[in-house]
Amino acid sequence: KSVVKVTPDQPVFRGETVTLTCDIQGEGNKQWTYSWFKDGNTDEPFTKTAEAEFRPSPADMSNSGKYRCEAKRSDISAAVTLTVS
């Protein structure tokens, strides 16, 4: 199961570096590819990464939203809400 983790803990402020990590529970992260979805859109990812980490940085208001990740051979994660103040 995929879970999105946000670092640093919220709140996140404009200009800060924020990292979203797609954690695959019970599995290693090295052989996975990752698709990232935002705000309920699960048809087409807005970005794909080879790493478990995604950095929408420097953070600004347009980065606020609900993020999900999908790792190859994994279910889509539950959403996490990122709010940039």
Side-chain angles (χ1 to χ4, degrees):
K1 181 176 182 177
S2 302
V3 176
V4 179
K5 297 181 179 180
V6 180
T7 308
D9 287 335
Q10 298 191 61
V12 175
F13 298 99
R14 284 179 291 183
E16 289 185 331
T17 299
V18 62
T19 302
L20 304 179
T21 303
C22 188
D23 181 42
I24 304 170
Q25 297 178 337
E27 299 288 339
N29 289 339
K30 295 187 180 196
Q31 301 299 317
W32 301 91
T33 56
Y34 303 89
S35 297
W36 291 91
F37 303 88
K38 186 176 175 187
D39 293 332
N41 181 2
T42 57
D43 293 328
E44 186 67 33
F46 73 90
T47 192
K48 293 185 177 186
T49 61
E51 304 285 330
E53 295 180 345
F54 169 67
R55 291 178 185 87
S57 112
D60 67 28
M61 303 281 287
S62 68
N63 297 129
S64 295
K66 292 182 184 284
Y67 287 84
R68 295 177 187 259
C69 70
E70 179 181 41
K72 187 177 179 184
R73 297 181 304 235
S74 170
D75 294 331
I76 238 177
S77 73
V80 64
T81 300
L82 172 64
T83 303
V84 180
S85 303

Coordinates of all heavy atoms in Angstrom, one line a residue:
K1 N 0.8 -1.2 0.0 CA 0.0 0.0 0.0 C 0.9 1.2 0.0 O 1.9 1.3 0.7 CB -0.9 0.0 1.2 CG -1.8 1.1 1.3 CD -2.8 1.0 2.5 CE -3.7 2.2 2.5 NZ -4.7 2.1 3.6
S2 N 0.5 2.2 -0.8 CA 1.3 3.5 -0.9 C 0.7 4.5 0.0 O -0.5 4.7 0.2 CB 1.2 4.1 -2.3 OG 1.7 3.1 -3.3
V3 N 1.6 5.3 0.7 CA 1.2 6.3 1.6 C 2.1 7.5 1.3 O 3.3 7.4 1.1 CB 1.4 5.9 3.1 CG1 1.1 7.1 4.0 CG2 0.6 4.7 3.4
V4 N 1.5 8.7 1.2 CA 2.3 10.0 1.0 C 2.6 10.6 2.3 O 1.8 10.8 3.1 CB 1.5 11.0 0.1 CG1 2.4 12.3 -0.1 CG2 1.2 10.4 -1.3
K5 N 3.9 10.9 2.5 CA 4.4 11.6 3.7 C 4.9 13.0 3.3 O 5.5 13.1 2.3 CB 5.5 10.8 4.4 CG 5.0 9.4 4.9 CD 6.1 8.6 5.5 CE 5.5 7.3 6.0 NZ 6.5 6.5 6.7
V6 N 4.6 14.0 4.2 CA 5.1 15.4 3.9 C 6.2 15.7 4.9 O 6.0 15.5 6.1 CB 3.9 16.3 4.1 CG1 4.3 17.8 3.8 CG2 2.7 16.0 3.1
T7 N 7.3 16.3 4.4 CA 8.4 16.8 5.2 C 8.7 18.2 4.7 O 8.9 18.4 3.5 CB 9.6 15.9 5.0 OG1 9.2 14.5 5.2 CG2 10.7 16.3 6.0
P8 N 8.8 19.2 5.6 CA 8.7 19.1 7.0 C 7.2 19.0 7.4 O 6.3 19.1 6.5 CB 9.2 20.4 7.5 CG 9.0 21.4 6.4 CD 9.1 20.6 5.1
D9 N 6.9 18.7 8.7 CA 5.5 18.7 9.1 C 4.9 20.1 8.8 O 5.6 21.1 8.8 CB 5.5 18.5 10.7 CG 5.8 17.1 11.0 OD1 5.6 16.2 10.2 OD2 6.3 16.8 12.1
Q10 N 3.6 20.0 8.6 CA 2.9 21.3 8.2 C 2.7 22.1 9.5 O 2.7 21.6 10.6 CB 1.5 20.9 7.6 CG 1.8 20.1 6.3 CD 0.6 19.9 5.4 OE1 0.0 20.9 5.0 NE2 0.2 18.7 5.2
P11 N 2.5 23.4 9.4 CA 2.3 24.2 8.1 C 3.6 24.4 7.3 O 4.6 24.4 7.9 CB 1.7 25.5 8.7 CG 2.4 25.7 10.0 CD 2.5 24.3 10.6
V12 N 3.3 24.5 6.0 CA 4.4 24.9 5.1 C 4.2 26.3 4.6 O 3.1 26.7 4.3 CB 4.4 23.9 3.9 CG1 5.4 24.3 2.8 CG2 4.7 22.5 4.3
F13 N 5.2 27.1 4.5 CA 5.1 28.5 4.1 C 5.8 28.7 2.8 O 6.7 27.9 2.4 CB 5.8 29.4 5.2 CG 5.1 29.3 6.5 CD1 5.6 28.5 7.5 CD2 3.9 30.0 6.8 CE1 5.0 28.4 8.7 CE2 3.2 29.8 8.0 CZ 3.8 29.0 9.0
R14 N 5.3 29.7 2.1 CA 5.9 30.1 0.8 C 7.4 30.2 0.8 O 7.9 30.7 1.7 CB 5.3 31.4 0.3 CG 3.9 31.2 -0.3 CD 3.3 32.5 -0.7 NE 3.1 33.4 0.4 CZ 2.6 34.6 0.4 NH1 2.3 35.1 -0.8 NH2 2.5 35.3 1.5
G15 N 8.0 29.6 -0.2 CA 9.5 29.7 -0.3 C 10.2 28.5 0.4 O 11.4 28.3 0.1
E16 N 9.5 27.8 1.2 CA 10.2 26.6 1.9 C 10.3 25.5 0.9 O 9.5 25.3 0.0 CB 9.3 26.2 3.1 CG 9.4 27.2 4.3 CD 8.7 26.6 5.5 OE1 7.7 25.8 5.4 OE2 9.1 27.0 6.6
T17 N 11.2 24.6 1.2 CA 11.4 23.4 0.5 C 10.5 22.3 1.2 O 10.6 22.1 2.4 CB 12.8 22.9 0.5 OG1 13.6 23.9 -0.2 CG2 13.0 21.6 -0.3
V18 N 9.6 21.7 0.4 CA 8.8 20.7 0.9 C 9.0 19.4 0.1 O 9.3 19.5 -1.1 CB 7.3 21.1 0.9 CG1 6.8 21.3 -0.5 CG2 6.4 20.0 1.5
T19 N 9.0 18.3 0.8 CA 9.3 17.0 0.1 C 8.1 16.1 0.4 O 7.7 15.9 1.5 CB 10.5 16.3 0.6 OG1 11.7 17.2 0.4 CG2 10.8 15.0 -0.1
L20 N 7.5 15.5 -0.7 CA 6.5 14.5 -0.6 C 7.2 13.2 -0.9 O 7.9 13.0 -1.9 CB 5.4 14.8 -1.6 CG 4.7 16.1 -1.5 CD1 3.6 16.2 -2.6 CD2 4.1 16.4 -0.2
T21 N 7.0 12.2 0.0 CA 7.6 10.9 -0.2 C 6.5 9.8 -0.3 O 5.6 9.8 0.5 CB 8.5 10.5 1.0 OG1 9.5 11.6 1.2 CG2 9.2 9.2 0.8
C22 N 6.6 9.1 -1.4 CA 5.7 8.0 -1.6 C 6.3 6.7 -1.0 O 7.2 6.1 -1.5 CB 5.5 7.7 -3.2 SG 4.2 6.6 -3.6
D23 N 5.7 6.4 0.2 CA 6.3 5.3 1.0 C 5.4 4.0 0.6 O 4.2 4.0 0.8 CB 6.2 5.6 2.4 CG 6.7 4.5 3.3 OD1 7.7 3.9 3.0 OD2 6.1 4.2 4.3
I24 N 6.1 3.0 0.2 CA 5.4 1.7 -0.1 C 5.6 0.8 1.1 O 6.7 0.3 1.4 CB 6.0 1.1 -1.4 CG1 5.9 2.0 -2.5 CG2 5.3 -0.2 -1.7 CD1 6.6 1.6 -3.7
Q25 N 4.5 0.7 1.9 CA 4.6 -0.1 3.1 C 4.9 -1.5 2.9 O 4.3 -2.2 2.1 CB 3.3 0.1 3.9 CG 3.1 1.6 4.3 CD 1.8 1.8 5.0 OE1 0.9 1.0 4.9 NE2 1.8 2.9 5.8
G26 N 5.9 -2.0 3.6 CA 6.3 -3.4 3.5 C 7.1 -3.8 2.3 O 7.4 -4.9 2.0
E27 N 7.6 -2.8 1.5 CA 8.4 -3.0 0.3 C 9.6 -2.0 0.3 O 9.5 -1.0 0.9 CB 7.5 -2.7 -1.0 CG 6.3 -3.6 -1.1 CD 6.7 -5.1 -1.4 OE1 7.8 -5.3 -2.0 OE2 5.9 -5.9 -1.2
G28 N 10.6 -2.4 -0.4 CA 11.7 -1.5 -0.7 C 11.4 -0.5 -1.7 O 10.5 -0.8 -2.6
N29 N 12.0 0.6 -1.8 CA 11.6 1.7 -2.8 C 12.5 1.7 -4.0 O 12.3 2.5 -4.9 CB 11.7 3.1 -2.1 CG 10.6 3.3 -1.1 OD1 9.6 2.6 -1.1 ND2 10.9 4.2 -0.2
K30 N 13.5 0.9 -4.1 CA 14.5 1.0 -5.2 C 14.0 0.6 -6.6 O 14.5 1.1 -7.5 CB 15.8 0.3 -4.8 CG 16.4 0.9 -3.6 CD 17.7 0.3 -3.3 CE 18.3 1.0 -2.0 NZ 19.7 0.8 -1.8
Q31 N 13.1 -0.3 -6.7 CA 12.7 -0.9 -8.0 C 11.4 -0.3 -8.5 O 10.8 -0.8 -9.4 CB 12.6 -2.4 -7.9 CG 13.9 -3.1 -7.5 CD 15.0 -2.8 -8.5 OE1 14.8 -2.8 -9.7 NE2 16.2 -2.5 -8.0
W32 N 10.9 0.8 -7.9 CA 9.6 1.3 -8.2 C 9.7 2.5 -9.1 O 10.7 3.3 -9.1 CB 8.8 1.7 -6.9 CG 8.6 0.5 -6.0 CD1 9.4 0.1 -5.0 CD2 7.6 -0.4 -6.1 NE1 8.9 -1.0 -4.4 CE2 7.8 -1.3 -5.0 CE3 6.4 -0.6 -6.8 CZ2 6.9 -2.4 -4.8 CZ3 5.5 -1.6 -6.6 CH2 5.8 -2.5 -5.5
T33 N 8.7 2.8 -9.9 CA 8.5 4.1 -10.6 C 7.3 4.7 -10.0 O 6.3 4.0 -9.6 CB 8.4 3.9 -12.1 OG1 7.4 3.1 -12.4 CG2 9.7 3.4 -12.7
Y34 N 7.3 6.0 -10.0 CA 6.2 6.8 -9.2 C 5.5 7.7 -10.1 O 6.1 8.5 -10.9 CB 6.8 7.5 -8.0 CG 7.6 6.6 -7.1 CD1 9.0 6.4 -7.4 CD2 7.0 6.0 -6.1 CE1 9.7 5.5 -6.5 CE2 7.7 5.1 -5.2 CZ 9.0 4.9 -5.5 OH 9.7 4.0 -4.7
S35 N 4.1 7.7 -10.0 CA 3.3 8.7 -10.7 C 2.6 9.5 -9.6 O 2.2 9.0 -8.5 CB 2.2 8.0 -11.5 OG 2.8 7.3 -12.5
W36 N 2.6 10.9 -9.8 CA 2.0 11.8 -8.8 C 0.8 12.4 -9.4 O 0.7 12.9 -10.5 CB 3.0 12.9 -8.5 CG 4.2 12.3 -7.7 CD1 5.3 11.8 -8.2 CD2 4.2 12.1 -6.3 NE1 6.1 11.3 -7.2 CE2 5.5 11.5 -6.0 CE3 3.4 12.4 -5.2 CZ2 5.9 11.2 -4.7 CZ3 3.8 12.1 -3.9 CH2 5.0 11.5 -3.7
F37 N -0.3 12.4 -8.5 CA -1.6 13.0 -8.9 C -2.0 14.1 -7.9 O -1.6 14.1 -6.8 CB -2.7 11.9 -8.8 CG -2.4 10.7 -9.7 CD1 -1.6 9.6 -9.2 CD2 -2.8 10.6 -11.0 CE1 -1.3 8.5 -10.0 CE2 -2.5 9.5 -11.8 CZ -1.8 8.5 -11.3
K38 N -2.7 15.0 -8.4 CA -3.1 16.2 -7.6 C -4.6 16.4 -7.7 O -5.2 16.4 -8.8 CB -2.3 17.4 -8.0 CG -2.5 18.6 -7.1 CD -1.7 19.8 -7.5 CE -2.0 21.0 -6.6 NZ -1.3 22.2 -7.0
D39 N -5.2 16.7 -6.6 CA -6.6 17.2 -6.5 C -7.6 16.3 -7.2 O -8.5 16.7 -7.9 CB -6.7 18.6 -7.1 CG -6.0 19.7 -6.2 OD1 -5.9 19.4 -5.0 OD2 -5.5 20.7 -6.8
G40 N -7.5 15.0 -6.9 CA -8.6 14.1 -7.3 C -8.4 13.5 -8.7 O -9.1 12.6 -9.1
N41 N -7.5 14.1 -9.5 CA -7.3 13.6 -10.8 C -6.4 12.3 -10.8 O -5.3 12.4 -10.4 CB -6.6 14.6 -11.7 CG -6.4 14.1 -13.1 OD1 -6.8 13.0 -13.5 ND2 -5.7 15.0 -13.9
T42 N -7.0 11.2 -11.0 CA -6.3 9.9 -11.0 C -6.2 9.3 -12.4 O -5.7 8.2 -12.6 CB -6.9 8.9 -10.0 OG1 -8.3 8.7 -10.4 CG2 -6.8 9.4 -8.6
D43 N -6.7 10.0 -13.4 CA -6.6 9.5 -14.8 C -5.2 9.8 -15.4 O -4.7 8.9 -16.1 CB -7.7 10.2 -15.7 CG -9.1 9.8 -15.3 OD1 -9.2 8.6 -14.8 OD2 -10.0 10.6 -15.4
E44 N -4.7 11.0 -15.2 CA -3.4 11.4 -15.8 C -2.5 12.0 -14.7 O -2.9 13.0 -14.2 CB -3.7 12.4 -16.9 CG -2.5 12.7 -17.7 CD -1.9 11.6 -18.6 OE1 -2.7 10.7 -19.0 OE2 -0.7 11.5 -18.7
P45 N -1.4 11.4 -14.5 CA -0.5 12.0 -13.5 C 0.1 13.3 -14.0 O 0.3 13.6 -15.2 CB 0.7 11.0 -13.3 CG 0.6 10.2 -14.6 CD -0.8 10.2 -15.1
F46 N 0.3 14.3 -13.0 CA 0.9 15.5 -13.4 C 2.4 15.4 -13.5 O 3.0 16.3 -14.1 CB 0.4 16.7 -12.5 CG 1.0 16.7 -11.1 CD1 2.2 17.4 -10.9 CD2 0.4 16.1 -10.1 CE1 2.8 17.4 -9.6 CE2 0.9 16.1 -8.8 CZ 2.1 16.8 -8.6
T47 N 3.0 14.4 -12.9 CA 4.4 14.2 -13.1 C 4.7 12.7 -12.7 O 4.0 12.1 -12.0 CB 5.3 15.1 -12.2 OG1 6.6 15.0 -12.6 CG2 5.2 14.8 -10.7
K48 N 5.8 12.2 -13.3 CA 6.3 10.9 -13.0 C 7.7 11.0 -12.5 O 8.5 11.9 -13.0 CB 6.2 10.0 -14.2 CG 4.8 9.7 -14.6 CD 4.8 8.7 -15.7 CE 3.3 8.3 -16.1 NZ 3.2 7.3 -17.1
T49 N 8.1 10.2 -11.5 CA 9.5 10.3 -11.0 C 10.1 8.9 -10.9 O 9.3 7.9 -10.7 CB 9.5 11.0 -9.7 OG1 8.8 10.3 -8.7 CG2 9.0 12.4 -9.7
A50 N 11.4 8.8 -10.9 CA 12.1 7.5 -10.7 C 12.4 7.4 -9.2 O 12.8 6.3 -8.7 CB 13.3 7.5 -11.5
E51 N 12.3 8.5 -8.5 CA 12.6 8.5 -7.0 C 11.3 8.5 -6.2 O 10.2 9.0 -6.7 CB 13.4 9.7 -6.7 CG 14.7 9.9 -7.4 CD 15.8 9.0 -7.0 OE1 15.8 8.6 -5.8 OE2 16.6 8.5 -7.8
A52 N 11.3 8.0 -5.0 CA 10.2 8.0 -4.1 C 9.8 9.4 -3.6 O 8.7 9.7 -3.2 CB 10.4 7.1 -2.9
E53 N 10.8 10.4 -3.8 CA 10.5 11.7 -3.3 C 10.2 12.7 -4.5 O 10.7 12.6 -5.6 CB 11.8 12.3 -2.6 CG 12.1 11.5 -1.3 CD 13.3 12.0 -0.6 OE1 14.1 12.8 -1.2 OE2 13.5 11.6 0.5
F54 N 9.3 13.6 -4.2 CA 8.9 14.7 -5.1 C 8.9 16.0 -4.4 O 8.4 16.1 -3.3 CB 7.5 14.4 -5.7 CG 6.9 15.5 -6.5 CD1 7.5 15.9 -7.7 CD2 5.8 16.2 -6.0 CE1 6.9 17.0 -8.4 CE2 5.3 17.3 -6.7 CZ 5.8 17.7 -7.9
R55 N 9.6 17.0 -5.0 CA 9.7 18.3 -4.3 C 9.1 19.4 -5.2 O 9.7 19.9 -6.1 CB 11.2 18.6 -4.1 CG 11.8 17.8 -3.1 CD 13.3 18.1 -2.9 NE 13.9 17.1 -2.0 CZ 14.4 15.9 -2.3 NH1 14.4 15.6 -3.6 NH2 14.9 15.1 -1.4
P56 N 7.9 19.8 -4.8 CA 7.2 21.0 -5.5 C 7.8 22.2 -4.9 O 7.1 22.9 -4.1 CB 5.8 20.8 -5.2 CG 5.7 20.1 -3.9 CD 7.0 19.2 -3.8
S57 N 9.0 22.6 -5.2 CA 9.7 23.7 -4.5 C 10.3 24.7 -5.4 O 10.6 24.3 -6.5 CB 10.7 23.1 -3.5 OG 12.0 23.3 -3.8
P58 N 10.5 26.0 -5.0 CA 10.1 26.4 -3.7 C 8.5 26.5 -3.6 O 7.9 26.8 -4.6 CB 10.7 27.8 -3.6 CG 10.8 28.3 -5.0 CD 11.1 27.0 -5.8
A59 N 8.0 26.1 -2.4 CA 6.6 26.0 -2.3 C 5.9 27.4 -2.5 O 6.4 28.4 -2.1 CB 6.2 25.5 -0.9
D60 N 4.8 27.4 -3.2 CA 4.0 28.6 -3.3 C 2.5 28.2 -3.2 O 2.2 27.0 -3.2 CB 4.3 29.5 -4.5 CG 4.0 28.9 -5.8 OD1 3.0 28.1 -5.9 OD2 4.6 29.2 -6.8
M61 N 1.6 29.1 -3.2 CA 0.2 28.9 -3.0 C -0.3 27.8 -4.1 O -1.2 27.1 -3.8 CB -0.6 30.1 -3.1 CG -0.2 31.2 -2.1 SD -0.8 30.9 -0.5 CE -2.5 31.3 -0.6
S62 N 0.2 27.8 -5.3 CA -0.2 26.9 -6.3 C 0.1 25.5 -6.0 O -0.5 24.6 -6.6 CB 0.3 27.3 -7.7 OG 1.7 27.0 -7.7
N63 N 1.0 25.2 -5.0 CA 1.3 23.9 -4.6 C 0.3 23.3 -3.6 O 0.3 22.1 -3.4 CB 2.7 23.8 -4.0 CG 3.8 24.2 -4.9 OD1 4.6 25.0 -4.6 ND2 3.8 23.6 -6.1
S64 N -0.6 24.1 -3.1 CA -1.6 23.6 -2.2 C -2.5 22.6 -2.9 O -2.9 22.8 -4.1 CB -2.4 24.8 -1.6 OG -1.6 25.6 -0.8
G65 N -2.9 21.6 -2.2 CA -3.8 20.6 -2.8 C -3.7 19.3 -2.2 O -2.9 19.1 -1.3
K66 N -4.4 18.3 -2.7 CA -4.4 16.9 -2.3 C -3.5 16.1 -3.2 O -3.8 16.1 -4.4 CB -5.8 16.3 -2.2 CG -6.7 17.0 -1.2 CD -8.0 16.3 -1.2 CE -9.0 16.9 -0.2 NZ -8.7 16.6 1.2
Y67 N -2.5 15.5 -2.7 CA -1.6 14.7 -3.5 C -1.7 13.2 -3.2 O -1.9 12.8 -2.1 CB -0.1 15.2 -3.1 CG 0.3 16.5 -3.6 CD1 -0.1 17.7 -2.9 CD2 0.9 16.6 -4.8 CE1 0.3 18.9 -3.4 CE2 1.3 17.9 -5.3 CZ 1.0 19.0 -4.6 OH 1.3 20.2 -5.1
R68 N -1.6 12.5 -4.3 CA -1.6 11.0 -4.2 C -0.4 10.5 -5.1 O 0.0 11.2 -6.0 CB -2.8 10.4 -4.8 CG -4.1 10.8 -4.1 CD -5.3 10.2 -4.8 NE -6.6 10.6 -4.2 CZ -7.3 9.8 -3.4 NH1 -6.9 8.6 -3.1 NH2 -8.4 10.3 -2.9
C69 N 0.1 9.4 -4.7 CA 1.1 8.8 -5.5 C 0.7 7.4 -5.9 O -0.1 6.7 -5.2 CB 2.5 8.7 -4.8 SG 2.6 7.6 -3.4
E70 N 1.3 6.9 -7.0 CA 1.1 5.5 -7.4 C 2.5 5.0 -7.7 O 3.2 5.5 -8.6 CB 0.2 5.4 -8.6 CG -0.1 4.0 -9.1 CD -1.0 4.0 -10.3 OE1 -0.8 4.9 -11.2 OE2 -1.9 3.1 -10.4
A71 N 2.8 3.9 -7.1 CA 4.1 3.2 -7.4 C 3.7 2.0 -8.4 O 2.7 1.4 -8.2 CB 4.8 2.7 -6.2
K72 N 4.6 1.8 -9.3 CA 4.4 0.7 -10.2 C 4.1 -0.6 -9.4 O 4.8 -0.9 -8.4 CB 5.6 0.5 -11.1 CG 5.4 -0.5 -12.2 CD 6.7 -0.5 -13.1 CE 6.5 -1.5 -14.2 NZ 7.7 -1.6 -15.0
R73 N 3.1 -1.3 -9.7 CA 2.6 -2.5 -9.1 C 2.0 -2.2 -7.7 O 1.9 -3.1 -6.9 CB 3.8 -3.5 -8.9 CG 4.3 -4.0 -10.2 CD 5.4 -5.0 -10.0 NE 6.4 -4.4 -9.2 CZ 7.7 -4.3 -9.5 NH1 8.1 -4.8 -10.6 NH2 8.6 -3.8 -8.7
S74 N 1.6 -1.0 -7.5 CA 1.0 -0.6 -6.2 C -0.3 0.1 -6.4 O -0.5 0.6 -7.4 CB 2.0 0.3 -5.5 OG 1.4 0.8 -4.3
D75 N -1.1 0.0 -5.4 CA -2.4 0.8 -5.4 C -2.1 2.3 -5.2 O -1.1 2.6 -4.6 CB -3.3 0.3 -4.3 CG -3.8 -1.1 -4.5 OD1 -3.9 -1.5 -5.7 OD2 -4.1 -1.8 -3.5
I76 N -3.0 3.1 -5.6 CA -2.9 4.6 -5.4 C -3.0 4.8 -3.9 O -3.8 4.2 -3.2 CB -4.0 5.3 -6.3 CG1 -3.3 6.3 -7.2 CG2 -4.9 6.0 -5.4 CD1 -4.2 7.0 -8.1
S77 N -2.3 5.8 -3.4 CA -2.3 6.1 -2.0 C -3.6 6.8 -1.6 O -4.3 7.4 -2.5 CB -1.1 6.9 -1.6 OG -1.2 8.3 -2.1
A78 N -3.8 6.9 -0.3 CA -4.8 7.9 0.2 C -4.3 9.3 0.0 O -3.0 9.5 -0.1 CB -5.1 7.6 1.7
A79 N -5.1 10.3 -0.1 CA -4.7 11.7 -0.3 C -4.1 12.3 0.9 O -4.5 11.9 2.0 CB -5.9 12.5 -0.8
V80 N -3.2 13.2 0.7 CA -2.7 14.0 1.8 C -2.9 15.5 1.4 O -2.7 15.8 0.2 CB -1.2 13.7 2.2 CG1 -0.3 14.1 1.0 CG2 -0.8 14.5 3.4
T81 N -3.3 16.3 2.3 CA -3.6 17.7 1.9 C -2.4 18.6 2.3 O -1.9 18.5 3.4 CB -4.8 18.3 2.7 OG1 -6.0 17.5 2.3 CG2 -5.1 19.7 2.3
L82 N -1.8 19.3 1.3 CA -0.8 20.3 1.5 C -1.3 21.6 1.4 O -2.0 22.0 0.4 CB 0.3 20.1 0.4 CG 1.4 21.1 0.4 CD1 2.3 21.1 1.7 CD2 2.3 20.9 -0.8
T83 N -1.1 22.5 2.5 CA -1.6 23.8 2.5 C -0.4 24.8 2.6 O 0.3 24.6 3.6 CB -2.6 24.1 3.6 OG1 -3.7 23.1 3.5 CG2 -3.2 25.5 3.6
V84 N -0.2 25.7 1.7 CA 0.9 26.6 1.8 C 0.3 28.0 2.1 O -0.6 28.5 1.5 CB 1.6 26.7 0.4 CG1 2.8 27.7 0.5 CG2 2.2 25.3 0.0
S85 N 0.8 28.5 3.2 CA 0.3 29.8 3.7 C 1.2 31.0 3.3 O 2.3 30.8 3.1 CB 0.2 29.8 5.2 OG -0.6 28.7 5.7

